[in-house]
Amino acid sequence: LAGRDFRQEDTVIRIGDVEIGGDQVQIFAGPCAVESWEQLIESARAVKAAGAKILRGGAFKPRTSPYAFQGLEEKGLQLLAQAREETGLLITTEVMDPRSIEVIAHYSDILQVGARNMQNFFLLKELSRVNKPILLKRGLSSTIEEWLMAAEYLMAGGNHQVILCERGIRTFETYTRNTLDLSAIPIVKQMSHLPVIVDPSHGTGKWQLVRPMSKAALAAGADGIMIEVHPNPSEALCDGPQSLTPTNFEALMEELRTMTRMM
Ligand code: PEP
Ligand code: MN
């Protein structure tokens, strides 16, 4: 179902007047994690002012250490919904556990499956029955084939609203957090009709690399970009080193506008 043989024309996912996979490039931006109302609304206003239409923010966080901040959970979802109310931005947030699908689907416009859960087939099967778009991140060590098969799980169960997200893979290189596989974009665009976006924040782990990799992703044909933005990256509870300040985000958006069909 995810393949071009099944469907030749590009899939366009429509949420209100926002189109993902259509003629426009969509920017998903916001903090790694929802930390507080002040932090979230400041991020949301910056994202909106710079021209993005979709706010990201984790409420349930998949952290490497059990002692690290795990997210505000339902309180975080409520804050995201409140930020949508105030700004008109769409929201996307991660779902890690079948038990929280219902509450997340209640609040969020798009449900995100993180890299660590890309092959959680039970979660994918449950999400295949949800009537909301799913943003499916590529697994840390997944091949393109495995990634598309994970999309197939969602589609086989009836959910055809799948957005793929390249977010870097594990290689021997440790200078960057992951190795952003930009060649995956034209490959997946050729193999599949689904929209493909790129997350250069997790893909590199370094905010200085977000700008060049965002430009490269668009040049390679990505349908959108997901970027971490935090009002004060040095104080972030999660992923500060890869987060852009509102000022840097605005400058990036300005630059991306000059090279695309965006907005
Ligand atoms: C995220 O986007 O918040 C995230 C945890 O990313 P990934 O699943 O790609 O590591
Ligand atoms: Mn993050």
Side-chain angles (χ1 to χ4, degrees):
L1 302 177
R4 280 275 181 206
D5 335 330
F6 175 73
R7 188 186 154 95
Q8 289 75 51
E9 63 280 22
D10 288 345
T11 285
V12 179
I13 292 167
R14 293 184 179 83
I15 314 168
D17 62 355
V18 174
E19 286 188 0
I20 301 155
D23 291 335
Q24 284 196 339
V25 162
Q26 289 303 345
I27 309 299
F28 302 61
C32 180
V34 178
E35 300 171 9
S36 67
W37 171 246
E38 292 69 29
Q39 173 253 14
L40 184 65
I41 194 63
E42 208 178 313
S43 310
R45 290 198 179 115
V47 160
K48 165 104 180 173
K53 303 213 174 98
I54 305 162
L55 175 66
R56 62 147 289 145
F60 296 84
K61 295 299 302 175
R63 303 304 301 280
T64 299
S65 165
Y67 308 116
F69 176 60
Q70 304 283 307
L72 298 180
E73 304 189 339
E74 189 169 358
K75 175 75 189 159
L77 300 175
Q78 290 165 350
L79 295 178
L80 282 164
Q82 211 175 318
R84 170 179 52 205
E85 200 66 17
E86 284 223 13
T87 59
L89 292 164
L90 295 175
I91 58 180
T92 178
T93 196
E94 179 165 352
V95 54
M96 297 197 294
D97 183 334
R99 289 171 297 185
S100 46
I101 291 176
E102 199 176 322
V103 69
I104 295 175
H106 171 73
Y107 289 104
S108 191
D109 300 298
I110 300 170
L111 280 65
Q112 185 171 322
V113 174
R116 288 155 195 81
N117 273 313
M118 189 206 84
Q119 282 191 317
N120 183 338
F121 300 117
F122 183 70
L123 179 66
L124 297 175
K125 282 182 188 174
E126 293 290 319
L127 287 169
S128 74
R129 291 192 279 273
V130 171
N131 188 24
K132 291 254 167 124
I134 310 293
L135 180 81
L136 180 65
K137 290 194 143 198
R138 180 176 180 182
L140 295 136
S141 57
S142 296
T143 64
I144 290 172
E145 189 92 22
E146 288 163 342
W147 186 20
L148 290 175
M149 284 312 263
E152 197 70 22
Y153 263 89
L154 294 166
M155 300 177 82
N159 192 342
H160 288 222
Q161 302 184 84
V162 180
I163 305 156
L164 298 165
C165 179
E166 161 61 40
R167 49 76 73 208
I169 50 177
R170 277 278 163 89
T171 68
F172 56 84
E173 179 59 73
T174 54
Y175 185 80
T176 45
R177 182 177 177 182
N178 291 289
T179 296
L180 189 63
D181 182 9
L182 290 174
S183 63
I185 303 161
I187 294 168
V188 170
K189 294 292 295 180
Q190 193 186 341
M191 292 172 75
S192 174
H193 51 86
L194 295 172
V196 187
I197 71 162
V198 172
D199 172 352
S201 304
H202 292 91
T204 64
K206 296 187 167 168
W207 72 266
Q208 296 93 335
L209 299 178
V210 168
R211 188 168 109 173
M213 290 300 99
S214 298
K215 296 189 332 189
L218 292 193
D223 295 299
I225 298 178
M226 173 174 270
I227 295 172
E228 285 187 340
V229 177
H230 193 286
N232 190 357
S234 64
E235 308 262 287
L237 296 181
C238 184
D239 289 349
Q242 68 193 35
S243 299
L244 297 187
T245 60
T247 309
N248 285 335
F249 178 65
E250 198 193 326
L252 170 62
M253 288 290 281
E254 200 53 56
E255 202 166 347
L256 296 183
R257 248 190 296 271
T258 63
M259 66 180 282
T260 62
R261 54 212 204 254
M262 191 172 84
M263 290 168 289

